[in-house]
């Protein structure tokens, strides 16, 4: 392990909720919960104001509503979150070529590899500047941890939350880790934690005292060796530059099981189109199409088809997904559908359309034969307005949906740089109201003049991070499981604990 604290870990504070608060002036300082709003929805992120009431990520949304009935409940806006994340990651890459993103809101940086830091003081200055730059570019706050290893840098950033900076001085690592719970260490989940607890091991110091042989006996060779080293503050894992995505996929969970086979087919086609948009947005193509179906009884089926070469053609992917659906029994209802593409490449094979068309000779079929059942499109449904959605009104301008029901939709008209706006109610089919793209949080050319506050340094008192998960959503690099949730830290540390 290196001697200088030049590994940086950045964790944006309550990222999804913070983006929503920055975007909506009327929600600043208020409890905000982002996630699925239906009966089966779960919390993706809760603002620090909502966490005071006990709301946390991965909690059923119904439970969150009982704990914080007056909070603002919003659907996620992943396109905006990805856009803000790209701005943050660009700032990290200015510091070093070795940036390892863990999610949209979290990453490791090797400052020494980029010449941005070489000792404690230069590392601290780099961390202070990064937080100020993030505030200037995005209007948001992030917490920074600096240490000589990835494990300790992440622990430091958890101590710094919210909106702080913590440096772990070399030589203090063992004293810092000793009283912390074993769950603090990477690789110790609920099952491993319970297993260690039954063996009388609850803190990192007790883990170190147990000895390597005992941990190998309890956990197996690989896990036992790794945890013993980490208990001694040894972590040799390098910062690995951003990995290439393994897959691109999308999925939807439905509030009510879908029983109609035609509706299931139309949903699969819609998901295939969304998947293609993500593929093209990333400049990728793929050769294996994956369909995911979770049925009414929670059984999950996956089917895949590998093409002769990579493609980003929507017709090819739609038809492949439809063929895969033909092999799945949806009797009884479907609660989740997903379409993904794996075997990614940065080029396409242009002749794949012939394959999708069943290798038919050119001119044999000038017009595709559309089955009668598919040709019967459902009647146009009433326009759906989701809480948090961006809209624009011909007279009132840009706003966002506060709620809808009984044929009405309520909109608050405000922008990221306005005062809290006025509320108006319209018919859901009002022709003057339309969906809109999110506005940038910080206008081009704007300069944030509020300096980032510096949190406690290595000489301050440390406390163990609290196990408050903060699930965020990202474009997954795992096969056929988009969007995917992951865990980071919640609010914790000595500076400000909700």
């Amino acid at each position: 392990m290196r001697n200088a604290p030049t590994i940086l870990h950045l964790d944006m504070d309550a990222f999804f909720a913070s983006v929503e608060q920055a975007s909506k002036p009327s929600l600043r300082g208020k409890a905000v919960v982002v996630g699925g709003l239906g009966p089966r929805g779960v919390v993706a992120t809760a603002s620090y104001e909502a966490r005071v009431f006990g709301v946390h990520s991965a909690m059923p949304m119904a439970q969150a509503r009982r704990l914080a009935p007056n909070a603002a409940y919003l659907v996620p806006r992943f396109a905006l979150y990805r856009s803000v994340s790209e701005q943050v990651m660009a700032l990290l890459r200015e510091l070093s070529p070795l940036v390892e993103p863990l999610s949209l809101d979290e990453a490791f940086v090797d400052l020494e590899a980029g010449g941005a830091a070489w000792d404690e003081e230069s590392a601290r200055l780099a961390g202070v500047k990064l937080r100020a730059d993030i505030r200037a570019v995005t209007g948001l706050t992030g917490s920074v941890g600096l240490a000589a290893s990835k494990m300790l840098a992440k622990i430091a950033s958890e101590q710094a939350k919210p909106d702080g900076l913590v440096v772990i001085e070399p030589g203090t690592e063992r004293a810092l880790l000793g009283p912390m719970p074993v769950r603090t260490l990477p690789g110790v989940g609920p099952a491993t934690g319970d297993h260690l607890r039954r063996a009388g091991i609850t803190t990192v110091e007790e883990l170190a005292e147990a000895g390597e042989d005992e941990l190998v006996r309890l956990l197996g060779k690989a896990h036992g060796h790794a945890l013993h080293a980490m208990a001694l503050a040894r972590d040799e894992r390098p910062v690995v530059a951003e990995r290439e995505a393994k897959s691109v996929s999308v999925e939807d969970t439905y509030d009510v099981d879908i029983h109609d086979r035609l509706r299931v087919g139309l949903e699969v086609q819609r998901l295939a189109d969304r998947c293609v948009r993500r593929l093209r947005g990333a400049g990728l193509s793929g050769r294996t199409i994956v369909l995911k179906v979770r049925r009414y009884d929670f059984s999950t089926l996956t089917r895949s088809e590998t093409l002769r070469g990579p493609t980003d053609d929507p017709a090819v992917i739609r038809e492949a997904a439809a063929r895969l659906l033909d092999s799945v029994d949806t009797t009884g209802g479907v609660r989740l559908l997903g379409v993904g593409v794996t075997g990614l490449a940065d080029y396409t094979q242009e002749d794949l359309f012939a394959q999708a068309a069943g290798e038919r000779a050119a001119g044999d079929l000038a017009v595709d034969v559309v089955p009668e059942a598919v040709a019967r499109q459902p009647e146009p449904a009433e326009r759906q307005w989701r809480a948090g959605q961006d809209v624009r009104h011909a007279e009132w301008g840009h706003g966002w949906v506060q709620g809808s029901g009984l044929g009405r939709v309520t909109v608050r008209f405000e922008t990221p740089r306005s005062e809290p706006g006025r509320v108006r109610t319209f018919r859901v089919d009002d022709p003057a109201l339309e969906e809109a793209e999110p506005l940038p949080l910080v206008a081009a050319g704007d300069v944030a003049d509020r300096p980032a506050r510096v949190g406690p340094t290595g000489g301050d008192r440390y406390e163990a991070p609290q196990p408050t998960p903060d699930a965020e959503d990202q474009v997954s690099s795992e096969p056929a499981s988009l969007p995917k949730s992951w865990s980071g830290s919640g609010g914790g540390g000595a500076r400000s604990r909700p």
Side-chain angles (χ1 to χ4, degrees), residues 234-404:
R234 299 172 188 162
D235 179 16
E236 303 295 338
R237 295 174 300 161
V239 175
V240 180
E242 186 172 3
R243 300 177 179 88
E244 293 184 1
K246 296 179 181 178
S247 71
V248 173
S249 56
V250 295
E251 64 182 39
D252 276 345
T253 299
Y254 303 100
D255 294 338
V256 178
D257 292 347
I258 302 175
H259 292 83
D260 181 67
R261 183 74 179 189
L262 173 60
R263 167 81 188 283
V264 173
L266 293 174
E267 286 295 313
V268 167
Q269 300 296 291
R270 183 179 61 83
L271 290 166
D273 288 341
R274 281 174 52 195
C275 186
V276 168
R277 287 196 294 271
R278 283 195 179 177
L279 271 178
R280 291 183 168 181
L284 297 170
S285 61
R287 65 193 306 265
T288 299
I289 315 303
V290 181
L291 175 71
K292 177 179 177 181
V293 180
R294 181 166 297 148
R295 299 187 292 190
Y296 69 99
D297 59 357
F298 287 89
S299 61
T300 301
L301 305 176
T302 58
R303 299 287 186 269
S304 64
E305 176 180 322
T306 299
L307 308 175
R308 294 185 309 180
T311 184
D312 65 353
D313 189 315
V316 172
I317 294 174
R318 280 197 302 266
E319 292 179 23
R323 287 194 296 273
L324 294 171
L325 179 62
D326 288 340
S327 67
V328 177
D329 179 11
T330 60
T331 304
V334 171
R335 60 185 293 120
L336 177 147
L337 291 168
V339 174
V341 178
T342 67
L344 300 182
D346 57 2
Y347 64 93
T348 61
Q349 186 167 312
E350 297 298 335
D351 66 349
L352 280 177
F353 189 79
Q355 174 179 320
E359 305 290 350
R360 61 196 179 208
D364 284 354
L365 288 175
V367 179
D368 286 337
V369 178
V370 181
E372 182 181 353
V374 176
R376 293 196 304 267
Q377 298 296 326
E379 293 297 322
E382 180 182 89
R383 281 203 290 178
Q384 299 295 312
W385 302 105
R386 302 182 301 164
Q389 176 184 357
D390 291 274
V391 295
R392 177 169 292 280
H393 190 273
E395 178 182 356
W396 293 94
H398 189 92
W400 58 277
V401 174
Q402 282 198 324
S404 64

Side-chain angles (χ1 to χ4, degrees), residues 32 119 122 129 131 192 210 261 292 353 454 470 486:
V32 174
D119 60 11
S122 59
K129 182 178 185 302
R131 293 178 58 243
T192 302
R261 183 74 179 189
K292 177 179 177 181
F353 189 79
V454 180
D470 182 14
W486 64 88

Side-chain angles (χ1 to χ4, degrees), residues 99 124 152 165 219 251 284 365 497:
V99 176
R124 189 192 312 275
L152 293 167
L165 181 151
L219 305 173
E251 64 182 39
L284 297 170
L365 288 175
R497 194 184 306 280

Side-chain angles (χ1 to χ4, degrees), residues 26 39-40 66 145 177 180 193 235 260 262 306 308 322 405 466 498:
S26 59
R40 295 171 177 164
R66 289 194 295 270
L177 285 175
M180 291 184 173
D235 179 16
D260 181 67
L262 173 60
T306 299
R308 294 185 309 180
Q466 300 301 302

